[in-house]
Amino acid sequence: MADSQPYATLDTGAKVPMIALGCYMGKPGGDQELVDAIKAATQVGYRHFDTATYYMNEDKVGQGLRESGVPREQLFVTTKLRNDCHHDVEAAFDNSLKLLNVDYIDMYLMHWPNSTKPNEPYVADDSIDFIQTWKSMERLLETRAGKVKAIGVSNFSTKTLPQLLEHAKVVPAMNQIETHPYNQTSELVALCQKHGIVVSAYSPLGLTDSPIFKDEDVLAVAKEIGATPAQVILNWNMQRNVVVLPKSITPSRIEQNFKFVKLSEAQMAKINSIEKDPKRQYRLCKVFDPKTQTVFGWSYERLGWTTRSL
Ligand code: A2P
């Protein structure tokens, strides 16, 4: 295996490969395409796979991993608690374990701070808050010892993370957020890293036909180091110790994304400076629902999100 790949270290001591294959393939569910993508990824050295119950493909992710033939102990598998399962974390966890059909999960994340009503993904369920949900996640470490290696969160902000930390017995090992050169969230990244929380980046390329691929600063750095824009974007994040979770079903892109190139300090500074340009700061992941004006039932303000969506 490509064990020369870089790793981040969790506060549990576990090593996390810096590049994962993001397994949400643009639509809920999973089919042979996903199984094939996972197998193609393992062949070029990926050992970290990121899914969620919400993606409705945990069974296919498990199938792809088994068919890859890579020993379980070489893999790092992340899945996430669905928003309508905050009231019963244990049952949700057991269900993920069963669907993935693995002996343990390396990282179990609270997918969103938001709890939502069953079958109403844009209606907030305020009968429970994320601190109560986190207590249930903490209990998993005892009741499901050995079956869950680490717990963390996703989509927590500089507003919600401190609220959680104030009450947490176990500091989340990871915060998975949307971050890329057009949504750098450097304050949040610094806050997480100060607390030993590994940051991982979803939509690190900015979805299909990403505008970041055409960014003049990204293109300039790509030309200087003889890399593709995608490689510049991913390595920029990794060089600030952010784990990246790019997704692709295209074998050549899966391979292209798994390449470690070095940006100089000046090249890092050039990409960092994009954050100072308000015209190039927006979220690209399409989670905002215009009808309810929310992201899964919560306003941007409640989430503590400041960057607008494209
Ligand atoms: P595809 O799956 O057809 O290869 P993100 O992970 O930021 O959400 O972006 C994923 C999207 O970007 C997918 O649509 C994927 O397309 C595309 N993609 C992944 N890797 C690359 C790449 N190296 N160059 C161009 N597009 C890519």
Side-chain angles (χ1 to χ4, degrees), residues 22 24-25 180 201-210 213 228-231 234 245-254 256-257 285:
Y24 183 66
M25 295 299 164
H180 44 63
Y202 70 79
S203 301
L205 295 170
L207 302 182
T208 314
D209 296 325
S210 168
F213 289 145
T228 65
Q231 288 164 347
L234 296 175
L245 320 161
K247 60 176 177 277
S248 178
I249 48 162
T250 315
S252 60
R253 287 171 171 174
I254 289 173
Q256 181 196 136
N257 295 343
C285 190

Side-chain angles (χ1 to χ4, degrees), residues 8 42 52 63 195 200 211 214 250 292-293 300:
T42 58
Q63 183 187 335
H195 288 279
S200 57
K214 299 182 202 93
T250 315
T292 57
Q293 292 284 303
Y300 264 39

Side-chain angles (χ1 to χ4, degrees), residues 183-207:
N183 186 34
Q184 300 197 6
T185 60
S186 51
E187 205 187 320
L188 176 58
V189 170
L191 177 71
C192 291
Q193 293 179 345
K194 184 178 116 192
H195 288 279
I197 301 169
V198 169
V199 178
S200 57
Y202 70 79
S203 301
L205 295 170
L207 302 182

Side-chain angles (χ1 to χ4, degrees), residues 51-54 58-59 79-82 90-102 105 108:
T51 187
T53 304
Y54 183 72
E58 288 164 304
D59 54 341
T79 193
K80 313 183 192 84
L81 176 75
R82 219 170 64 175
E90 284 188 357
F93 176 83
D94 290 345
N95 189 43
S96 286
L97 200 64
K98 194 166 142 209
L99 286 168
L100 281 159
N101 195 5
V102 288
I105 288 167
Y108 194 53

Side-chain angles (χ1 to χ4, degrees), residues 37 63 76 83 92 125 128 154 163 167 188 197 199 220-221 231 248 262 267 298:
Q63 183 187 335
F76 190 97
N83 296 355
D125 166 14
I128 187 166
S154 179
Q163 293 168 350
H167 299 276
L188 176 58
I197 301 169
V199 178
V221 173
Q231 288 164 347
S248 178
K262 174 111 178 85
Q267 290 161 341
W298 281 28

